[in-house]
Amino acid sequence: MSVCFPSPYVLGAQLHPSGCRFTLYAPDQECVHLLLWHQGHQPQRLAMHEYKRGYWTRDVADVVTGQEYSFDVSHNGQSWCVADPYAQAVTGPLTYRPPYTSSQSTQVARCQVVDHELFDWQGVSSPQRSIRDTVIFETHVKGLTQQHPDIEPAQQGRYLGLVSPAMLAFYQQHHINCLQLLPITCCLPEPHLLSQQKTNYWGYNPYVWMAPDPRYAEKDAVNELKTAIRELHRHDIEVILDVVFNHTAEGGEGGPILHFKALDHAMYLQDGQQLHNHTGCGNTIDIRHPAALKQVLDTLRMWVTDYHVDGFRFDLAATLGRDGDTFDPHNAFFHAIAQDPILSKVKLIAEPWDIGPDGYQLGQFPVNWAECNDKIRDITRSLWRGEPGMLQDFATRLMGSRDVFSAAYWPDHLPINYITYHDGFTLQDVVSYAKRHNHANGEKNQDGHGDNRSANYGVEGPTNNPDIIKIRDQQKRNMMASILFSLGTPHILMADMLGHSQQGNNNAYCQDNPISWLNWQTQDHAWSNWLATMITRRNAIVPRFIDALSGTQRHFNQITWRHPNGDPVHDHQWPSLQALSCEITLGAHHSDAGQSLLIAINSGHTAHNLRLPPNHQWRIVCDTATDETTVGTPESFQRLVEKSFLVCIDGDWL
């Protein structure tokens, strides 16, 4: 009986009945050796054979799951040990002592053979929730659980900590239905961080795209991550991975030789011998290169098929649409995703910019993508801290930023509405600090964003002043209500659910310590409970209106803007407005025909009497003037206090 061997075009380590086939794409090499590592022994060194067109293969009998391997290649006259770009597990230390040398490479570049068929998914399937019904919670695997007192020490800061009984109870209590994990693929810290005994805590310096980071596992990163995803799915929680395909940890000129620089230099955008740096990290992946496109697509499919992830958030995604110095929304990568029977079905979220030329591309991604909407972040922060003339733009953002995201393509092409992301202030710091305080990063407080649109309300940092605490809490409610009840998909930092402060650090990328780790002992329970209640109400209300305003249905509904006294807003009045109300009434073509949502905003310092439209049974579901969550029945003239956001629905939908 003949043995069925994997195709030599299937890259990586492929197990088969009699052993394993190792395949590497290395068109820049004239000779490649496979190294098989055995504990306490020198590696077994086996010559690989070039099958054709840069594909190097070697079959080895009796190789089993767990075998460590790497490749020996030549670069600039030196012998280097390099990692398999298709490796699905790594065992080498994810650190080194700068400068990176060929002798250190023999330890770092160790990969491991994996058999994905061994894991039991127990019949658990993905929730497959629509993007309009999703509230995304962004979190760091380690930072979420490292300091949780009710999680077993062996699981704190690890994949399994995500699904500990304490965390599963927390998700349920706070109505969390989607986790977006900061990068969990293997990364290496940048040389300047290693020189300072720091690390890239966020994980945005990718080393091996297909391998989960072993630092978040007790023993087995592959199976422990799968277990976490399976149990999250069992509890109706989706998992989105933040992925980085715009650059790698090889960096720019002088960076370490990890794989692509020696194997296939065409993976990176170049001008002669100079690497392009459209990412701020030294190099830029050239997605036009067939090998780069194949690697990214194969990686994405692996995470969906072998780990059952529900979607991806693409860091600096404008790079993936680059045609050199320009952006092309019709490039091969976007077309490949759109026609792929696996990838076209998952959630695709773009961070729609990079730092290169023509790098800001908000609203320009294909219609099957959602996009991070920085416009609502900026205008919401500006509005609530009291900048004049902001309400007109805020009204546009509230209605789904349809000047950028046409409702004709909803609900697929929705804005991801956020106030805070990992890169920036937490919400507590937005209302506590007027300036960044990044001294702990070792860059003389010159790193991080300078335009934070934050305010401290009288004291820089923590305070015991009850008046300052009161206005800070109200401003937090205002900003969170603004994204929860705007049309789009809300994105919330898990840190903000707890009221976590990073001590004014708005670029804590290298802070693997309590600056970043969530402090469960100081959780603001009153705030968490208010936010959890608003999330529940958002989920019951907003998706109906997104649905009604999507596609051709959008033409059959009515949106009315009024002054607080009920008079219509005229065009010339918009620039000077500080308070107004918006009523959306669903038309006859929708199943909820005749029902209405009313949102009233007072960004000024003067209270107003809000005249509610007659002939409705209005119910107050959100009033940021208080942390009370009781559903109330308003008077015909409802008090709209200064600096407040009010949401009413017609009838009882909750």
Side-chain angles (χ1 to χ4, degrees):
M1 180 178 178
S2 62
V3 175
C4 181
F5 289 97
S7 164
Y9 293 108
V10 177
L11 297 172
Q14 302 294 317
L15 289 166
H16 55 73
S18 62
C20 185
R21 169 167 285 181
F22 297 88
T23 305
L24 178 71
Y25 185 66
D28 291 352
Q29 291 295 314
E30 296 180 356
C31 179
V32 177
H33 284 84
L34 170 68
L35 302 180
L36 297 180
W37 299 90
H38 305 280
Q39 189 172 7
H41 300 279
Q42 288 295 310
Q44 184 180 1
R45 194 168 186 268
L46 303 172
M48 299 185 74
H49 312 290
E50 187 171 20
Y51 181 76
K52 63 169 63 173
R53 296 184 299 168
Y55 284 82
W56 297 81
T57 67
R58 179 67 189 242
D59 285 301
V60 185
D62 301 324
V63 169
V64 297
T65 299
Q67 172 66 57
E68 293 187 6
Y69 72 100
S70 51
F71 299 107
D72 183 57
V73 299
S74 177
H75 183 71
N76 291 339
Q78 279 189 305
S79 178
W80 288 86
C81 190
V82 298
D84 180 1
Y86 273 71
Q88 300 192 19
V90 299
T91 59
L94 296 178
T95 187
Y96 61 90
R97 180 175 297 176
Y100 191 63
T101 61
S102 59
S103 61
Q104 291 189 78
S105 72
T106 61
Q107 295 298 316
V108 174
R110 296 198 187 183
C111 308
Q112 191 174 48
V113 176
V114 170
D115 184 356
H116 287 293
E117 298 299 320
L118 298 177
F119 186 77
D120 182 5
W121 286 96
Q122 300 178 0
V124 176
S125 58
S126 166
Q128 297 185 340
R129 185 174 290 107
S130 167
I131 190 75
R132 68 173 176 267
D133 296 315
T134 302
V135 177
I136 298 170
F137 278 83
E138 183 188 25
T139 193
H140 188 283
V141 168
K142 182 176 183 179
L144 179 59
T145 64
Q146 180 68 22
Q147 297 193 109
H148 200 301
D150 298 327
I151 295 177
E152 294 289 337
Q155 295 184 354
Q156 288 176 339
R158 295 186 166 131
Y159 299 120
L160 293 181
L162 296 174
V163 291
S164 60
M167 288 309 306
L168 291 173
F170 176 81
Y171 306 142
Q172 182 179 24
Q173 291 164 6
H174 295 87
H175 312 292
I176 292 170
N177 66 23
C178 179
L179 295 185
Q180 179 176 299
L181 303 180
L182 268 73
I184 52 86
T185 58
C186 287
C187 80
L188 282 174
E190 294 86 340
H192 78 275
L193 290 177
L194 290 169
S195 298
Q196 300 175 52
Q197 288 76 54
K198 289 186 172 72
T199 190
N200 189 316
Y201 170 72
W202 286 347
Y204 288 94
N205 203 42
Y207 169 34
V208 180
W209 286 330
M210 289 183 166
D213 196 315
R215 289 175 290 202
Y216 306 138
E218 184 179 3
K219 296 178 181 177
D220 182 342
V222 171
N223 286 315
E224 290 175 35
L225 175 58
K226 288 181 179 181
T227 299
I229 294 172
R230 182 190 67 199
E231 296 310 305
L232 288 168
H233 283 173
R234 194 191 302 275
H235 289 81
D236 203 34
I237 300 167
E238 292 191 329
V239 178
I240 293 173
L241 298 187
D242 196 332
V243 288
V244 184
F245 296 123
N246 52 74
H247 77 286
T248 73
E250 291 192 299
E253 306 304 325
I257 307 301
L258 303 174
H259 36 57
F260 295 141
K261 280 183 177 178
L263 302 177
D264 186 7
H265 70 284
M267 291 286 288
Y268 298 121
L269 282 171
Q270 307 176 58
D271 182 7
Q273 295 301 310
Q274 185 70 34
L275 293 177
H276 280 277
N277 183 17
H278 296 329
T279 65
C281 303
N283 58 33
T284 305
I285 292 291
D286 186 358
I287 202 70
R288 301 171 302 179
H289 180 44
L293 179 61
K294 174 177 169 55
Q295 170 92 60
V296 172
L297 294 173
D298 287 348
T299 299
L300 293 172
R301 277 191 291 266
M302 184 221 69
W303 285 111
V304 176
T305 58
D306 293 328
Y307 287 85
H308 296 194
V309 303
D310 302 284
F312 304 95
R313 180 263 189 188
F314 293 80
D315 177 66
L316 299 183
T319 297
L320 300 177
R322 282 200 170 276
D323 183 6
D325 285 347
T326 61
F327 177 84
D328 180 9
H330 304 291
N331 76 357
F333 173 71
F334 295 132
H335 284 312
I337 291 275
Q339 63 79 42
D340 191 285
I342 296 172
L343 300 179
S344 61
K345 296 177 182 177
V346 301
K347 293 179 173 67
L348 304 168
I349 301 171
E351 183 184 37
W353 50 76
D354 63 20
I355 68 166
D358 200 27
Y360 187 75
Q361 294 294 331
L362 182 72
Q364 301 306 307
F365 279 71
V367 296
N368 58 319
W369 287 63
E371 300 180 39
C372 300
N373 183 13
D374 63 325
K375 288 187 178 295
I376 195 169
R377 174 200 64 193
D378 293 346
I379 196 63
T380 301
R381 290 189 184 189
S382 295
L383 174 82
W384 292 116
R385 76 170 183 174
E387 295 180 33
M390 295 289 150
L391 200 49
Q392 182 173 9
D393 193 0
F394 179 76
T396 300
R397 306 301 143 224
L398 191 68
M399 291 295 103
S401 297
R402 289 179 294 171
D403 58 331
V404 181
F405 300 93
S406 171
Y409 304 117
W410 290 3
D412 295 319
H413 194 52
L414 276 176
I416 304 296
N417 291 332
Y418 66 100
I419 296 297
T420 54
Y421 236 95
H422 64 271
D423 50 346
F425 280 150
T426 65
L427 184 59
Q428 185 63 45
D429 288 354
V430 169
V431 299
S432 301
Y433 293 91
K435 298 179 181 179
R436 65 189 178 207
H437 296 266
N438 297 355
H439 301 88
N441 296 352
E443 300 179 41
K444 299 180 180 180
N445 202 35
Q446 295 178 356
D447 61 304
H449 210 296
D451 182 17
N452 295 293
R453 307 192 186 200
S454 59
N456 63 25
Y457 301 98
V459 173
E460 187 76 351
T463 181
N464 292 321
N465 185 312
D467 293 331
I468 295 176
I469 293 173
K470 180 180 179 180
I471 185 60
R472 286 179 177 179
D473 287 347
Q474 184 163 333
Q475 293 290 54
K476 286 169 60 177
R477 291 193 294 269
N478 283 332
M479 286 186 275
M480 197 58 75
S482 296
I483 63 164
L484 285 175
F485 293 101
S486 61
L487 302 179
T489 298
H491 169 285
I492 299 172
L493 272 183
M494 190 70 82
D496 293 343
M497 176 61 85
L498 273 64
H500 179 75
S501 169
Q502 292 180 169
Q503 304 169 26
N505 194 320
N506 76 348
N507 189 35
Y509 76 105
C510 58
Q511 299 301 323
D512 188 3
N513 54 50
I515 291 176
S516 300
W517 303 341
L518 303 193
N519 188 341
W520 292 87
Q521 304 285 7
T522 60
Q523 178 183 355
D524 185 341
H525 291 281
W527 161 252
S528 297
N529 292 336
W530 179 88
L531 182 52
T533 301
M534 293 307 123
I535 290 169
T536 302
R537 294 179 184 175
R538 179 268 169 198
N539 289 342
I541 296 168
V542 175
R544 304 185 190 203
F545 287 88
I546 293 175
D547 180 60
L549 294 170
S550 296
T552 57
Q553 289 193 99
R554 70 190 188 279
H555 301 300
F556 303 108
N557 306 284
Q558 185 176 3
I559 301 176
T560 306
W561 298 94
R562 298 185 180 94
H563 293 281
N565 65 7
D567 293 342
V569 176
H570 299 291
D571 289 347
H572 71 277
Q573 297 173 319
W574 277 100
S576 60
L577 284 178
Q578 289 191 310
L580 83 164
S581 70
C582 169
E583 182 186 359
I584 309 175
T585 302
L586 301 183
H589 287 71
H590 195 266
S591 58
D592 294 316
Q595 294 189 318
S596 295
L597 169 69
L598 182 137
I599 298 175
I601 306 117
N602 183 1
S603 63
H605 294 283
T606 303
H608 295 270
N609 285 324
L610 175 66
R611 182 182 179 88
L612 293 168
N615 302 319
H616 293 274
Q617 294 181 332
W618 293 114
R619 306 268 285 172
I620 298 175
V621 296
C622 176
D623 184 356
T624 61
T626 175
D627 62 3
E628 293 293 327
T629 57
T630 304
V631 175
T633 302
E635 303 295 332
S636 58
F637 282 92
Q638 173 67 26
R639 190 72 168 165
L640 186 62
V641 305
E642 61 273 18
K643 296 291 182 185
S644 66
F645 187 102
L646 184 75
V647 181
C648 299
I649 55 173
D650 179 15
D652 187 5
W653 301 1
L654 304 178

